[in-house]
Amino acid sequence: MKIAIIGSGNIANTHAQELTGMGRKISLVVGAVREEMEQFQKTWNIEESSLDFSRALKDDIDIVHVCTPPTLHYEMVKELILAGKHVICEKPLCLTAAEAKNLYETASDKGVVTAVNFNVRYHQACGEFRKKVTSDAFGRLCLVHGTYEQEFHALPADYMWRYQEALAGPMRATTEIGSHWIDLVRFLTGHEITEVSATYGKFTPDRYVKDGMMYESPQEGAEKIHVDSDDAVIAALRFDNGAIGNLFLSEVTHGRSNYVSMEITGTNQTVSWNSEDPYKLKTATKFGGTLCETNAFAGGFPNTFSSFFREVYKDMEAGVPSKEPTYPTFKDGYLNAAICEAIYTSANSDSKWTEVK
């Protein structure tokens, strides 16, 4: 099966690295910047490169990895599905629930295999976490608490497409890191978020760009820009079974490279895990203390990509989606987009409780 990658930036390189490690040959890269695309082609020993997206629609391409900014996903992925391609799309699938639903329904009609790269669920401990939370011993879901924190957007920071609404959309923390956490909590619990009440932190709307870097204060010769997307999010959550939860997202927390945490409480147990200590899974019971299970051979964050790809490629080689896929599908991408959209709506409506539609 011939594989194409759309995009030649950082995340596209990660896809190429994992595919190459799996022994998969990449046949085509489609890029927007010739020099970057040609370097990508050389680095990964790719047969062909093109600046024309329509090249990926040709009959000789079977599988396409879409590694472009979010606002470009809908139109590209729609064309790929209609051309009969199997698609792995970077998150978020879309920036509106309506667009994501359309892609999900179109993919279902065409019978192609589609997936969204919510790779965090492929930490080995997360699979064990899910078994515990969905077991009879855990009891009924009551409470969820979690975070996703990074430091990369604390100023000064690189000026990139993520700050340009035309490419990234109106959200940043919500969709860039929050979408991962939302997928993880749905995966772990098997329950849906039905309502949200959210508050946005936008700490430095006016910024100054000089030599590709953003600063908080004026710099000689710098260009003043306005950034309206969210640096941080605090959200209260309600679930379909009456459980409640809260979520804290931050892209400006110093010292946090890629910190995901999850603590879930049922009527009988509490289970917790975090990505900075990824091999440890903790289970607690009333007056029983906390049991910590460690699996030092579980693999690390980079392997979550290959684990995800391997699961998706099983269905792609079969040519049809399985009845109950374990990987995040376009249906997951659609439901995820609906939750992100509700968070955005609530945060821009004085934190009003907002239904996930």
Side-chain angles (χ1 to χ4, degrees):
M1 303 184 79
K2 289 198 171 184
I3 302 168
I5 294 181
I6 312 297
S8 54
N10 181 58
I11 197 64
N13 275 280
T14 302
H15 281 237
Q17 178 180 349
E18 296 301 335
L19 288 169
T20 302
M22 293 165 58
R24 300 279 180 178
K25 175 68 176 175
I26 304 165
S27 299
L28 170 70
V29 56
V30 176
V33 180
R34 182 180 294 279
E35 295 78 9
E36 180 184 83
M37 177 187 69
E38 290 178 347
Q39 182 58 53
F40 187 93
Q41 180 185 12
K42 180 180 178 181
T43 299
W44 302 110
N45 191 28
I46 299 172
E47 298 172 9
E48 182 185 354
S49 63
S50 177
L51 294 169
D52 184 1
F53 167 73
S54 66
R55 174 63 188 88
L57 303 174
K58 303 296 184 182
D59 290 343
D60 60 328
I61 298 298
D62 304 293
I63 299 167
V64 182
H65 290 238
V66 178
C67 301
T68 64
T71 59
L72 306 180
H73 289 177
Y74 176 71
E75 295 294 342
M76 284 184 172
V77 174
K78 183 73 175 284
E79 287 192 59
L80 291 167
I81 293 171
L82 292 174
K85 311 303 179 188
H86 302 304
V87 180
I88 293 177
C89 185
E90 265 303 318
K91 52 77 193 167
L93 176 58
C94 294
L95 295 171
T96 70
E99 287 185 345
K101 182 180 181 182
N102 183 261
L103 292 184
Y104 158 56
E105 292 177 341
T106 305
S108 297
D109 291 342
K110 291 290 291 185
V112 294
V113 179
T114 55
V116 185
N117 186 22
F118 293 126
N119 60 291
V120 177
R121 66 161 74 177
Y122 281 92
H123 280 282
Q124 189 272 345
C126 291
E128 296 303 312
F129 197 149
R130 185 188 190 193
K131 291 177 183 177
K132 289 180 180 292
V133 170
T134 56
S135 71
D136 292 338
F138 179 79
R140 187 179 70 258
L141 177 69
C142 297
L143 183 64
V144 176
H145 167 68
T147 67
Y148 200 144
E149 300 169 66
Q150 293 181 336
E151 65 181 356
F152 306 116
H153 296 262
L155 297 177
D158 291 334
Y159 181 61
M160 61 183 75
W161 62 264
R162 287 180 172 85
Y163 301 99
Q164 300 171 30
E165 187 168 337
L167 292 174
M171 297 173 271
R172 184 159 34 93
T174 302
T175 47
E176 281 292 307
I177 55 179
S179 61
H180 271 301
W181 190 93
I182 290 164
D183 179 75
L184 186 59
V185 76
R186 293 183 59 249
F187 172 73
L188 294 178
T189 66
H191 286 281
E192 298 294 346
I193 297 169
T194 57
E195 288 184 281
V196 302
S197 171
T199 300
Y200 273 175
K202 302 177 182 180
F203 306 119
T204 316
D206 292 325
R207 306 174 184 206
Y208 300 86
V209 178
K210 182 179 181 180
D211 299 328
M213 293 291 292
M214 292 185 301
Y215 299 89
E216 181 175 3
S217 57
Q219 307 287 313
E220 184 177 352
E223 175 190 0
K224 184 178 180 180
I225 64 169
H226 186 80
V227 175
D228 197 45
S229 55
D230 43 309
D231 293 306
V233 184
I234 296 175
L237 314 171
R238 288 175 178 155
F239 290 80
D240 56 7
N241 75 325
I244 61 171
N246 61 37
L247 167 61
F248 171 61
L249 305 172
S250 170
E251 296 192 329
V252 294
T253 299
H254 306 96
R256 293 296 194 190
S257 293
N258 198 52
Y259 180 73
V260 186
S261 70
M262 189 74 71
E263 182 175 281
I264 302 178
T265 295
T267 49
N268 301 326
Q269 296 177 341
T270 293
V271 186
S272 59
W273 171 85
N274 77 77
S275 62
E276 288 187 357
D277 214 352
Y279 312 125
K280 295 183 178 180
L281 182 62
K282 298 179 180 180
T283 306
T285 57
K286 184 177 180 179
F287 303 135
T290 300
L291 171 67
C292 180
E293 303 169 58
T294 303
N295 184 350
F297 297 99
F301 183 78
N303 288 333
T304 61
F305 277 83
S306 57
S307 297
F308 164 54
F309 289 164
R310 289 181 198 281
E311 286 298 309
V312 180
Y313 269 74
K314 289 177 186 177
D315 280 4
M316 288 180 170
E317 288 178 337
V320 292
S322 53
K323 290 184 178 180
E324 295 183 1
T326 61
Y327 53 83
T329 66
F330 273 18
K331 181 178 181 180
D332 294 301
Y334 156 49
L335 296 172
N336 196 294
I339 296 166
C340 289
E341 192 172 48
I343 288 172
Y344 177 79
T345 300
S346 175
N348 286 280
S349 305
D350 294 324
S351 305
K352 180 182 177 181
W353 278 101
T354 302
E355 181 183 356
V356 177
K357 296 181 180 179

